[in-house]
Amino acid sequence: MPFRILAINPGSTSTKIALYEDDKELKSVSFQHTIEELAPFNNAAEQYEWRRDIVLNYLDSVGFDYKKLDAVIGRGGLVHPLESGTYEVTDILRKDLLNAKRQHASNLGGLIARDIADRAGVKAYIADPVTVDEMIPYARISGLPQLPRLSIMHALNQKAVARRYADEVGARYEDLNLIVCHMGGGTSVGAHRKGRVIDTTNGFNGSGPFTPERSGSLPPGQLVDLCFSGEYSYEEIAKMVHGKGGLFAHLGTSSVPEILDRIDRGDLHAMLILRAMCYTTAKAIGEMAVSLKGHVDAILLTGGVAHSRRLTDFIAQHVDFIAPIYVYPGENELESLALNALSVLNGDREAMVYTAEPDNNDPGDINDTQKPSKLREILAASVIAANRATLKRMTAVRQYLRKLRIPRNNLTPRN
């Protein structure tokens, strides 16, 4: 008997639902939510029951009895940093989703999945939430210890597209170096090294390219001046960074099709801003090429914005010297969710255990051996690997000096 799986993907302005039998989609729908519909809610958490009822009413409208489900899986939310994988929505995970420090509709995915799964008497899961954190230690460090770089990205779709590309070329995801760029309302660009995202831009409210509705990286001095100008409240500044930044701040809309139409009617300002967004995206791809030390097998462009060939072509013109480019428009998140649940149901992988407290990633605790530190373990392992590599071969500079027989101390700068 095939397994019946319900996949749920709540987004900022949509709720997407799909029913699967094993890996075959039976039905799917995307409910778009207007500004007027969302207006009564102060935050995403308050939308929980409303969105849950949308899912239940849909199942009823298509004549599907949720008691026939074998599993329910929802999009993962803004919980603490964790490893990539499929997680059962335990009481601990449910509590963290309910009390998430950052508000986003994705937090509702696991909550709605757990609610419906409890009614059906089956298990609920999330997979590859946006807080998947596989960053190398020094990628986390910014210029201020109070402001570490965070891994918040479109992990579900990035991982799904990376594995899809690997299947298409007959390779294992774990054997490839890829740059994956998800472009939607938010954009995240990840450096995938042998199956792990060792560095990424922050697709929620941090550094990276600007997007249809998010500001991305901003000039820090000017941002400080803006914050203390007395003209704006905390809430207004926060909204400029996430929600009303990017294309919306410049052009009054976050709709890329609408902006393209304005360009076709001769709007040069719209053209300038849209190209600037693509330019910042291309620069972020270049940064991730550095993270991979130039060893890049392919660049994968995905997300809703990737539907526009004009935009993907503009980005490609700036980065095609790095690696071949492949475009996967749209999102594969519902399918990826279903496949993650199926792999657990089939016994191909075990559901991972979510813990209440994250591994200690405070750089200031690395030298304190009395405190556990995941960073210390990773850094120590990388030092050992680097030392082994050094013993096997000389660096390019040393080889050059030996060839010319130039003493190294002769290169010491003098005042």
Side-chain angles (χ1 to χ4, degrees):
M1 290 287 292
F3 290 112
R4 292 172 291 272
I5 302 166
L6 173 65
I8 306 164
N9 181 5
S12 299
T13 58
S14 66
T15 301
K16 299 175 183 177
I17 310 163
L19 281 166
Y20 282 81
E21 279 193 353
D22 287 346
D23 60 349
K24 295 181 180 178
E25 182 186 299
L26 300 179
K27 297 178 183 295
S28 66
V29 66
S30 177
F31 292 98
Q32 300 300 312
H33 308 314
T34 65
I35 295 175
E36 291 74 21
E37 286 178 311
L38 297 174
F41 306 103
N42 293 316
N43 53 50
E46 292 184 3
Q47 301 172 20
Y48 164 57
E49 292 184 354
W50 176 66
R51 296 228 196 191
R52 178 204 61 197
D53 290 345
I54 288 174
V55 178
L56 290 172
N57 290 337
Y58 171 72
L59 294 178
D60 186 57
S61 71
V62 297
F64 185 87
D65 182 1
Y66 58 75
K67 293 183 179 179
K68 294 181 179 180
L69 290 168
D70 295 289
V72 187
I73 187 165
R75 182 182 176 189
L78 288 156
V79 291
H80 72 65
L82 40 65
E83 289 283 321
S84 171
T86 305
Y87 292 79
E88 182 181 346
V89 185
T90 59
D91 290 343
I92 294 173
L93 177 52
R94 182 177 181 275
K95 179 181 177 182
D96 277 12
L97 287 169
L98 277 170
N99 300 287
K101 293 180 180 179
R102 302 179 183 90
Q103 284 292 318
H104 189 268
S106 61
N107 297 344
L108 303 176
L111 295 174
I112 296 172
R114 171 66 185 268
D115 189 318
I116 297 175
D118 285 349
R119 295 166 185 250
V122 298
K123 290 185 176 180
Y125 303 95
I126 64 168
D128 287 338
V130 293
T131 51
V132 164
D133 186 351
E134 301 169 334
M135 291 172 69
I136 52 179
Y138 40 87
R140 306 172 189 275
I141 310 299
S142 78
L144 287 175
Q146 301 96 323
L147 302 175
R149 295 185 65 239
L150 303 176
S151 177
I152 303 181
M153 61 170 180
H154 302 85
L156 184 64
N157 193 41
Q158 281 205 29
K159 292 271 186 177
V161 167
R163 291 191 178 99
R164 176 180 170 185
Y165 168 78
D167 288 341
E168 290 176 354
V169 299
R172 291 188 341 124
Y173 168 53
E174 292 77 13
D175 294 330
L176 297 173
N177 284 353
L178 304 170
I179 298 172
V180 186
C181 176
H182 177 109
M183 300 177 291
T187 292
S188 61
V189 186
H192 296 237
R193 184 180 70 188
K194 312 300 183 187
R196 295 180 66 83
V197 186
I198 64 167
D199 200 356
T200 180
T201 62
N202 181 332
F204 182 67
N205 63 355
S207 60
F210 75 80
T211 79
E213 60 180 36
R214 299 170 196 178
S215 68
S217 299
L218 296 169
Q222 293 166 251
L223 178 60
V224 171
D225 291 342
L226 190 70
C227 291
F228 287 90
S229 66
E231 297 181 31
Y232 306 100
S233 67
Y234 170 87
E235 290 75 17
E236 288 171 325
I237 293 288
K239 206 66 177 176
M240 291 179 190
V241 171
H242 180 282
K244 292 185 177 180
L247 295 181
F248 185 90
H250 286 282
L251 301 173
T253 179
S254 59
S255 169
V256 171
E258 179 182 334
I259 293 170
L260 288 171
D261 181 63
R262 285 164 59 170
I263 292 171
D264 290 338
R265 290 186 279 110
D267 189 337
L268 295 181
H269 181 226
M271 178 186 291
L272 174 66
I273 301 304
L274 193 62
R275 286 190 173 185
M277 183 186 78
C278 294
Y279 178 65
T280 62
T281 303
K283 288 201 297 182
I285 291 171
E287 291 178 5
M288 295 306 141
V290 172
S291 299
L292 296 172
K293 300 177 182 178
H295 303 298
V296 184
D297 294 301
I299 298 168
L300 313 181
L301 305 180
T302 184
V305 173
H307 281 291
S308 172
R309 183 170 179 178
R310 291 157 68 176
L311 271 61
T312 56
D313 282 355
F314 185 86
I315 293 170
Q317 291 168 11
H318 291 79
V319 300
D320 61 1
F321 69 94
I322 297 172
I325 298 170
Y326 297 83
V327 181
Y328 297 89
E331 302 169 349
N332 300 283
E333 292 180 332
L334 287 171
E335 179 185 11
S336 181
L337 285 171
L339 292 176
N340 273 279
L342 181 62
S343 67
V344 173
L345 293 172
N346 281 332
D348 296 331
R349 70 172 73 167
E350 292 184 8
M352 299 182 71
V353 178
Y354 179 87
T355 57
E357 296 296 332
D359 293 320
N360 182 17
N361 285 327
D362 184 352
D365 289 338
I366 286 181
N367 293 328
D368 186 350
T369 57
Q370 300 302 310
K371 294 182 179 179
S373 172
K374 188 70 173 179
L375 277 178
R376 186 191 307 123
E377 296 174 14
I378 297 172
L379 200 58
S382 68
V383 169
I384 293 171
N387 288 341
R388 287 174 178 170
T390 301
L391 290 173
K392 289 183 179 180
R393 68 180 188 277
M394 301 172 69
T395 66
V397 173
R398 288 177 178 171
Q399 291 180 38
Y400 176 76
L401 295 177
R402 169 174 275 192
K403 184 175 181 180
L404 296 181
R405 297 182 179 177
I406 300 174
R408 292 181 67 199
N409 57 8
N410 285 359
L411 297 181
T412 303
R414 297 178 178 177
N415 293 328

